[in-house]
Amino acid sequence: MTRTRAIVLPAWAGKPVEAEHSGWPVVERFEPPEGDCGVGLTDLSHRPKAILQGPAVAQLGLSKPGQAVWNGQAMAGCLKPGQAIIFDLGGPVEPEWPDSWYSDMTEGWVLLGIWGPQAAEVVQRLVAVDIERPDMPGPLYFAAGSHGIRVQLVNLRGQGPGFLLACDRSQAQNLFDACLRAGAQFDLKITGVKAFYEWFDRLAIAAGVDSSNRQ
Amino acid sequence: MAFLINCPNCGHRNPYEFTFGGECKQAPGQDADMKAWCEYLFFYENMPVFQDEWWYHAMGCGEWLKIRRNIATHEIVEV
């Protein structure tokens, strides 16, 4: 099955070097190379996403809305009691969800990674909620409005600032353009997944998790 | 609108994240006449006092919340 990208990449990002992952066109890197940047913006829409409902939410260790957990492969965030969101960053691109409590949203949502030293400054310009929540330890999950779009946001809280943003596929270009505008003054660059995972692997190692077998 | 709604799931949020669902009203019984249904569907009290209202957190958790709000001052006393 051939999938299409929901986002049109601007010409200034460079020439994308693409690969196919289970039918998804994935930008591995750009030519010329992206180099160092204040903020990296990466399209991760090919990664599996799901809504999880029912008793399995508590089994993931999610008891409180806003709480998120990282198991070395996927990030799960609690939206409300009995409902959680799964963003799988490390498993197979064509996942087999364990049971019918999972609703696959891979085709329905886009997923963006915003990472780098000034990622928090960019995200703070996108949403009007407290993205740090000092009262809650560990990764955080939010659903909030941004530019009239319902945006889901995960603050990964790794060694450096890093966030995942998701919204409906039909709103993908609007969210992407909003990220570009918010990041323009912070040296935001559009990157391929290679640059994202180079950063992300440092986060995983810091968490004591081996993600070397990622697909 | 200068007030925040304290969503039990998401915390204090801007009311523009919500969709107003109208006053909480008792639906007429199945045997009620058209006039009663018309009043239920199309007419509101809209008095400048506390009233119970439905608000839908469209940009957040997707829950319907029952809120007791003073529509003159926007003071919210119960969610």
Side-chain angles (χ1 to χ4, degrees), chain A residues 44-52 60 68-78 84-92 95 97 102 105-106 108-112 140-143 150-156 163-167 196-197 200:
Chain A
L44 301 166
S45 300
H46 64 292
R47 297 304 318 174
K49 303 169 275 291
I51 299 173
L52 170 61
L60 288 175
V69 292
W70 164 246
N71 71 353
Q73 175 180 316
M75 181 65 71
C78 184
I85 308 302
I86 312 281
F87 298 132
D88 186 339
L89 297 177
W97 302 109
Y102 291 79
M105 299 302 293
T106 308
W109 294 342
V110 291
L111 182 65
L112 303 175
L140 297 171
Y141 169 83
F142 307 91
R150 181 178 183 267
V151 173
Q152 300 177 73
L153 174 69
V154 175
N155 185 350
L156 296 167
F163 300 86
L164 301 175
L165 267 75
C167 76
F196 172 80
Y197 278 120
F200 192 76

Side-chain angles (χ1 to χ4, degrees), chain A residues 174-187:
Chain A
N174 295 332
L175 179 63
F176 193 76
D177 290 345
C179 292
L180 295 184
R181 281 196 300 273
Q185 58 184 304
F186 297 105
D187 187 28

Side-chain angles (χ1 to χ4, degrees), chain A residues 22-46:
Chain A
S22 293
W24 288 96
V26 178
V27 178
E28 299 271 345
R29 58 189 168 83
F30 284 90
E31 289 289 348
E34 302 96 340
D36 293 334
C37 55
V39 184
L41 177 62
T42 311
D43 182 7
L44 301 166
S45 300
H46 64 292

Side-chain angles (χ1 to χ4, degrees), chain B residues 8 20 33 40 54 57 62 76-77:
Chain B
F20 181 62
D33 59 13
Y40 170 70
W54 289 110
H57 198 180
I76 295 174
V77 293

Side-chain angles (χ1 to χ4, degrees), chain A:
Chain A
M1 182 178 177
T2 301
R3 275 91 169 205
T4 55
R5 189 183 299 116
I7 294 165
V8 177
L9 299 169
W12 57 260
K15 184 184 174 191
V17 178
E18 295 191 0
E20 188 194 301
H21 293 236
S22 293
W24 288 96
V26 178
V27 178
E28 299 271 345
R29 58 189 168 83
F30 284 90
E31 289 289 348
E34 302 96 340
D36 293 334
C37 55
V39 184
L41 177 62
T42 311
D43 182 7
L44 301 166
S45 300
H46 64 292
R47 297 304 318 174
K49 303 169 275 291
I51 299 173
L52 170 61
Q53 309 206 51
V57 174
Q59 291 168 9
L60 288 175
L62 296 170
S63 57
K64 193 176 170 186
Q67 192 181 12
V69 292
W70 164 246
N71 71 353
Q73 175 180 316
M75 181 65 71
C78 184
L79 177 63
K80 55 190 172 185
Q83 191 173 100
I85 308 302
I86 312 281
F87 298 132
D88 186 339
L89 297 177
V93 180
E94 292 277 6
E96 290 187 13
W97 302 109
D99 52 48
S100 60
W101 293 106
Y102 291 79
S103 302
D104 186 83
M105 299 302 293
T106 308
E107 315 266 356
W109 294 342
V110 291
L111 182 65
L112 303 175
I114 296 189
W115 51 278
Q118 292 185 291
E121 281 84 346
V122 175
V123 174
Q124 278 170 347
R125 279 158 178 74
L126 293 174
V127 294
V129 296
D130 179 7
I131 59 171
E132 294 299 338
R133 291 286 300 268
D135 57 313
M136 288 183 68
L140 297 171
Y141 169 83
F142 307 91
S146 173
H147 297 74
I149 305 169
R150 181 178 183 267
V151 173
Q152 300 177 73
L153 174 69
V154 175
N155 185 350
L156 296 167
R157 276 187 166 168
Q159 280 192 319
F163 300 86
L164 301 175
L165 267 75
C167 76
D168 283 346
R169 185 178 161 90
S170 60
Q171 307 274 19
Q173 192 68 51
N174 295 332
L175 179 63
F176 193 76
D177 290 345
C179 292
L180 295 184
R181 281 196 300 273
Q185 58 184 304
F186 297 105
D187 187 28
L188 180 141
K189 288 181 180 168
I190 301 169
T191 75
V193 294
K194 189 167 176 285
F196 172 80
Y197 278 120
E198 280 174 6
W199 167 83
F200 192 76
D201 282 345
R202 293 198 290 274
L203 180 83
I205 292 166
V209 173
D210 177 16
S211 58
S212 57
N213 60 350
R214 183 193 315 111
Q215 294 187 18

Side-chain angles (χ1 to χ4, degrees), chain A residues 65-66 79-81 83 128-129 133 142-146 148-151, chain B residues 8-14 16-17 56-64:
Chain A
L79 177 63
K80 55 190 172 185
Q83 191 173 100
V129 296
R133 291 286 300 268
F142 307 91
S146 173
I149 305 169
R150 181 178 183 267
V151 173
Chain B
N9 295 318
C10 306
H12 288 89
R13 291 296 180 90
N14 186 321
Y16 290 106
E17 286 194 1
Y56 175 62
H57 198 180
M59 298 272 185
C61 60
E63 287 283 344
W64 279 98

Side-chain angles (χ1 to χ4, degrees), chain B residues 14-33:
Chain B
N14 186 321
Y16 290 106
E17 286 194 1
F18 295 77
T19 302
F20 181 62
E23 297 170 7
C24 299
K25 294 187 287 188
Q26 181 69 42
Q30 288 185 336
D31 300 331
D33 59 13

